[in-house]
Amino acid sequence: MTALTTTTAATTAATARPVNTAQPCATIRMGSGWTIPNRTLVKSGSTPGLLRTQTLQDVLQYLQRLAACQQAEDIHRSLDQLVVAYEGGMMTARLLTPNGVSDERMIFSSNGAAQAAAHVLPGHFSRGLRKLASIDNHGAQCATMAWFKFSRACKKPVKIRTVRVKTDRGVVRMIRAITSQTYCTYSHIDYVKSLIANGGEYSQMPVVDWRLTDNGLRLRFAGEKPTLAKPVSMYEAWNNEVGSGTVTLRGGLWKLVCTNGMGSWSENAEFTWQHRGTHDRINAGIKGAFDNLRVSNNGVLNAYEAAGNKHISNILQWMQDELQQMGVSGERIQRAQGGLSHPTTSPGSTLASVVDAVTLIAQDEPDMLEQMALENTASKLLARHVTA
């Protein structure tokens, strides 16, 4: 359940244009690791006590500015023609040309390096090469030679997805993904344009939270005008440009007192499209997916309302037993138990209190997928016990 705020004069003034936490061309510090970890480029939206919304057009304009900075380029080559080296504390790559090895050195994102290693190296061998390269210059040379030897067998062309990034050593290209040649490029810009063009009335919903990382995009919409303490329908749009996820529309609910979101447990509450074929099937499916999610969300809202009347005895022990059974770590269970006393959590020892507490700690997760996993845990708890 994601929270926004009450509509006061102060909050109304804040809804005009939220400030993103990162700029499109933020500088990367080189040499702190062999690859560039998944960066958060945008974290924008509502915070506790403050409603901040944007339109899809706002999101599109930002993505277009980012695209102008990044100048994405796909390179179609076989990996035996990508000369990888461990040098200067970075994993780099240069292309073979008819005249020898290119002078342009590219760096790797963690995702790009992992996908390259999956094509070239035996299982779990990449970590060993990094440890070897970290010993000294001779170790780095040995790691470089080992990669070269294994890459000789990689004759099948792939799509090497790159973007320009600013580093403290200048502007370079970063390999963010290695995909098959048949991978259908459906960019974040394509997706947002399609949501605007094909979403009908849903395209006018306010974007109350959006995240952009090197690996993916997530937009969250409120399905109706937010009011204090009333759960409302939530819609999530996900996309991935680096071969590790699908185009997705999901349903769920938000509660407008904190910043918690929760997805639905219903099989009808998620629509996914693989990155293959043409864009037409995605564009054609968006409006119907929103309609379907709207109906499914009503069931989640009803279940959450019922959970507020379901009392739980010895709620701390009950939470520990349930969450342990669902594979939640002890550290997260302890934080969730602490969340029961948070002022935004539903009062009383109820199932709704537990759901609120779990979704509350999910907002502290820096990784969007980890956040979604905890929110799904709350959703499963609700589905399992609301009718028990």
Side-chain angles (χ1 to χ4, degrees), residues 34 85-94 105-106 133 140 144 169:
W34 292 105
Y86 294 83
E87 54 184 353
M90 297 296 297
M91 183 178 171
T92 67
R94 293 187 290 167
R105 281 178 167 80
M106 297 179 284
T144 298
R169 302 179 190 176

Side-chain angles (χ1 to χ4, degrees), residues 187-342:
S187 71
H188 303 326
I189 290 176
D190 292 331
Y191 194 19
V192 174
K193 282 183 175 179
S194 186
L195 290 170
I196 293 171
N198 303 298
E201 68 271 22
Y202 300 101
S203 67
Q204 304 304 311
M205 293 186 297
V207 178
V208 293
D209 182 87
W210 74 288
R211 309 287 176 90
L212 178 67
T213 70
D214 285 321
N215 291 350
L217 169 74
R218 187 195 71 189
L219 304 175
R220 283 181 159 178
F221 308 90
E224 59 189 86
K225 183 178 179 179
T227 56
L228 185 63
K230 177 187 176 183
V232 298
S233 291
M234 176 184 74
Y235 303 86
E236 284 187 347
W238 292 72
N239 190 41
N240 180 284
E241 297 179 337
V242 296
S244 57
T246 59
V247 183
T248 304
L249 275 174
R250 302 175 71 239
L253 63 89
W254 291 46
K255 185 181 178 185
L256 308 184
V257 289
C258 46
T259 51
N260 308 22
M262 187 185 71
S264 170
W265 61 84
S266 170
E267 292 181 358
N268 297 326
E270 182 169 298
F271 287 76
T272 61
W273 297 271
Q274 298 291 331
H275 282 257
R276 59 172 180 258
T278 68
H279 298 176
D280 294 344
R281 62 195 173 85
I282 303 175
N283 298 338
I286 284 176
K287 178 61 165 61
F290 272 124
D291 286 339
N292 205 96
L293 295 174
R294 185 174 185 176
V295 175
S296 298
N297 283 354
N298 288 336
V300 183
L301 290 166
N302 292 336
Y304 181 76
E305 183 178 348
N309 298 317
K310 190 172 184 62
H311 181 78
I312 298 173
S313 300
N314 194 359
I315 192 168
L316 292 176
Q317 186 62 51
W318 187 90
M319 278 185 74
Q320 181 168 324
D321 293 343
E322 289 290 325
L323 294 177
Q324 277 183 343
Q325 184 180 346
M326 300 176 78
V328 179
S329 70
E331 183 271 335
R332 284 173 172 159
I333 292 173
Q334 190 173 22
R335 286 196 290 119
Q337 289 172 326
L340 289 171
S341 59
H342 194 273

